[in-house]
Amino acid sequence: MAAQTDKMAVPTDAELLQAQADLWRHTLCYLTPMALRCAVELGIPTAIHGLGGAASPHDLIAALSLPPSKLSFLGRLLYQLATAGVFDTTDAGTTYRLNPISYLLVDGVHIDGDGCQTAIVRVASSRYYVEAAFGLADWFRKDFDGPVPSPFEDLHGATIFDDSMALLDPEMDKLVHEAKASHNHMGIGLVLRQCRDLFQGLESLTDLCGGDGTTARAIVKAYPHIKCTVLDLPKVIDKAPAEGVVKYVAGDIFHVVPPAQAVLIKSVLHLWSDEDCIKILAQCKKAIPPRDAGGKVIVIDIMLSSASGLMLETHHLVDMLKLVMTRGRQRDEKDWSDIFMKAGFSEYKIFKKVGARVVIEVYP
């Protein structure tokens, strides 16, 4: 016998009208990232910065050498982005000012290690990402044999951060790595300032998938006594600067992690399945000493249900991005606890919430 369900009450006229407006908003909200991409490609945030931080559409038409016939269209684009919170505006849209969001999109401005986030906008709104999301329904209908590929893998036959992506589109592969670097390095200065106890007593640290060493160099600058090693793929390490401050090791996180008192895993595990995360963490455990000798793994990543409001929505949007693009996912505290314990760790502590992420100490 089928389970009885509550009968939904018929919506009122007012509720239906509001629902229709909400449906329009949900259906059309893809235009906001497209408008943002347009602003980035035109260089609007950088132009506003060059004009002193505030500019009118007339100013921007001249600064960007755009046809005067596009003035009213540019005004509409700017007003939509201001409505979305990307710019501040005054005087009914006659002047637009940079705010913290648009300041992150100014070329050449470095904030907290690596500030400019334009690569993230261009990657997330690229045709490769959008086409993969567009095919979600077809992906759900497929019954795969063996491990389930992401919609991106299934459609494009390539995996992000893998050599297959470089074969598919070398320029896109380069942009994906730029986006990853800017995403990972943003906020490390804040962690170093607000989480000093995290690094107290450490003598050595391995930064897993540390890219060009920006994070490791920031750690060494703040704590010169810590010897930092960066582990990443050979194609990434080949381009790393030879400054002598950080040691670079080319390798595979599934096979061996350079030994250190602590291993830092920043915005990495959400790219991988639970099974792969357990394998990665098990290698990290082999690389560190016992807890009484200071051994620990430092995980910096998103934790679902640790936020509310717009931040919670952002967390779940990022989770949808992982669903579309990778075999990974965002995790709540129970999920994190499960993979830590299955990898052989004995305990963990949520050290601090930093923006959209949390800092977790994991002990052997």
Side-chain angles (χ1 to χ4, degrees), residues 296-325:
K296 63 182 177 181
V297 172
I298 302 168
V299 175
I300 303 178
D301 219 314
I302 286 175
M303 181 178 287
L304 296 176
S305 75
S306 66
S308 60
L310 288 176
M311 187 64 79
L312 180 63
E313 181 181 2
T314 299
H315 282 184
H316 285 280
L317 282 172
V318 176
D319 185 50
M320 279 300 300
L321 177 67
K322 300 310 167 193
L323 186 156
V324 172
M325 302 306 305

Side-chain angles (χ1 to χ4, degrees), residues 14 21 24 28 100 109 158 175 177 179 191 200 215 244 272 283 308 310 328 336:
W24 291 345
L28 299 175
V109 172
L175 190 62
H177 280 279
V191 170
Q200 291 299 328
T215 293
W272 300 97
Q283 291 298 329
S308 60
L310 288 176
W336 283 115

Side-chain angles (χ1 to χ4, degrees), residues 20-39:
Q20 184 184 46
D22 290 341
L23 184 60
W24 291 345
R25 178 170 54 83
H26 286 300
T27 303
L28 299 175
C29 66
Y30 75 93
L31 290 168
T32 297
M34 295 300 122
L36 183 58
R37 179 186 178 91
C38 174

Side-chain angles (χ1 to χ4, degrees), residues 186-207:
M186 185 71 189
I188 187 59
L190 187 148
V191 170
L192 291 170
R193 290 189 297 273
Q194 296 192 7
C195 305
R196 294 186 179 276
D197 290 347
L198 194 66
F199 301 94
Q200 291 299 328
L202 286 184
E203 297 178 358
S204 60
L205 179 144
T206 292
D207 185 6

Side-chain angles (χ1 to χ4, degrees), residues 129-146:
Y129 278 45
V130 172
E131 286 172 357
F134 188 74
L136 265 176
D138 290 337
W139 178 83
F140 269 106
R141 292 187 183 102
K142 289 184 179 180
D143 188 9
F144 297 95
D145 294 325

